[in-house]
Amino acid sequence: MSPRTLSYTVPPEQDGRRVRSVLQGPLGLSAGLVTRLKHREGSVRVNGAPAKSIDVLRAGDTLEIDVGDAKKSAFSPMPGQLDVVWEDEDLFIVNKSAGMAVHGRSEKREPTVGALAAAYLGADTPFHPVNRLDRDTSGLMCAAKTGYMHERLRRILHSDNFRREYLALCEGAPPAERGTVDAPIARLGEEKRFCVDPSGCASVTHWEVAKRLGGLTLLRIVPETGRTHQIRVHMAYLGCPLLGDRLYGRASALIGRAALHSHAIRLVHPLSGELIDVSAPLPEDMRSLTE
């Protein structure tokens, strides 16, 4: 089991509340996790003694909860460089290189983010990606070290407390300096592609011109929702497909992938309230085309 213990001192205004109420309220545990903890002997303690979810708490009591995952990582550790740009005991943010899958079948011996994370964190620490990136997309992605923190981060994803900014090189030029694509997205038949479709899921993407480069445009993009291939689909819908995007545009001799980079992540830590604000510069294959 990956160790992680939360400690919480009951304030006066919560005197008389039951353990379950505090676990699911101030500490933000899901109902499912609270139920699972009931079957882990000694995983919930009050003032050092084992406690039940129905026990009543008093002001000044110290509530301790073991929220580490019971299961080990599903990935086999692989040697390689994991570019960690921010980390604490609950989460970490990595700068993923283009061409690396987040997940992957270990028998293929691919250097996936999950396999490198297993080597970096240890096989006892499961890998919980929060904002996943396509294989060809480079840049920042956040992952949690426990299922508990993963759930807390998923709740704020796509809110003002978890914002992501991308840089994209697009073919052509958008019709203005900035704008928003508000167009639902659906799967295109049985294919692994998606399209704008009135019957699809609500999808919103904000964009702004960062630099005009003749026949190309560098855009800053902030997705408000998180649909699969959302940026790629919306930029093609705008008439400016990503450079090198074989699915929604065309291949390019200038770059061997869809030119998309997760440039910045700004989030409020669910436990500490700390503002985490990190960025990653353009990789060489995109940077060389913007100079």
Side-chain angles (χ1 to χ4, degrees):
M1 175 173 164
S2 57
R4 179 62 173 106
T5 300
L6 302 180
S7 182
Y8 181 78
T9 300
V10 179
E13 61 270 21
Q14 292 173 9
D15 183 86
R17 291 181 68 172
R18 296 188 185 276
V19 169
R20 175 181 284 274
S21 174
V22 173
L23 293 180
Q24 293 186 237
L27 291 175
L29 276 67
S30 67
L33 179 54
V34 172
T35 299
R36 290 193 295 275
L37 290 178
K38 291 170 61 177
H39 302 290
R40 296 185 198 171
E41 186 176 354
S43 61
V44 179
R45 300 175 296 279
V46 176
N47 301 326
K52 298 179 179 179
S53 61
I54 60 173
D55 289 348
V56 175
L57 295 168
R58 295 302 175 191
D61 282 349
T62 299
L63 179 61
E64 293 179 306
I65 314 98
D66 296 330
V67 295
D69 289 8
K71 295 182 180 180
K72 294 184 178 182
S73 174
F75 296 90
S76 298
M78 287 187 64
Q81 183 64 40
L82 189 68
D83 186 4
V84 179
V85 299
W86 196 95
E87 180 181 14
D88 71 358
E89 61 184 327
D90 294 300
L91 62 93
F92 61 107
I93 299 173
V94 301
N95 184 14
K96 185 183 86 67
S97 59
M100 180 182 292
V102 174
H103 293 98
R105 300 177 66 184
S106 59
E107 59 263 31
K108 290 185 177 180
R109 304 306 295 166
E110 292 182 300
T112 64
V113 178
L116 295 183
Y120 178 78
L121 299 170
D124 286 339
T125 303
F127 172 60
H128 299 279
V130 180
N131 65 305
R132 303 183 187 186
L133 301 178
D134 292 342
R135 177 189 291 270
D136 282 348
T137 302
S138 58
L140 299 175
M141 59 171 289
C142 177
K145 295 182 180 180
T146 62
Y148 163 70
M149 181 50 59
H150 183 252
E151 175 64 23
R152 294 291 300 267
L153 289 167
R154 292 284 295 175
R155 291 177 195 171
I156 64 172
L157 189 62
H158 314 309
S159 74
D160 288 339
N161 286 334
F162 196 130
R163 285 298 183 188
R164 298 157 296 142
E165 180 185 290
Y166 291 77
L167 291 174
L169 266 173
C170 299
E171 293 195 60
E177 289 302 304
R178 61 184 55 82
T180 297
V181 179
D182 185 350
I185 290 176
R187 184 179 291 276
L188 185 59
E190 298 299 319
E191 299 183 36
K192 293 183 179 180
R193 295 201 305 157
F194 296 81
C195 64
V196 169
D197 187 320
S199 65
C201 298
S203 308
V204 179
T205 303
H206 306 287
W207 58 268
E208 180 180 3
V209 173
K211 192 173 185 180
R212 295 187 183 273
L213 303 156
L216 303 176
T217 305
L218 180 66
L219 295 180
R220 295 186 185 277
I221 297 175
V222 176
E224 190 173 309
T225 51
R227 310 303 175 198
T228 301
H229 294 180
Q230 177 176 315
I231 293 175
R232 299 165 68 183
V233 172
H234 275 176
M235 292 305 100
Y237 179 72
L238 189 65
C240 301
L242 300 190
L243 180 69
D245 190 344
R246 292 178 172 85
L247 274 183
Y248 303 102
R250 58 184 178 179
S252 172
L254 298 176
I255 192 169
R257 64 179 177 107
L260 184 62
H261 177 68
S262 176
H263 170 61
I265 288 179
R266 181 185 177 93
L267 69 90
V268 177
H269 197 294
L271 285 180
S272 68
E274 176 185 358
L275 177 63
I276 303 168
D277 193 352
V278 294
S279 61
L282 282 173
E284 175 59 24
D285 63 349
M286 289 181 64
R287 185 187 64 78
S288 62
L289 297 174
T290 66
E291 297 179 339

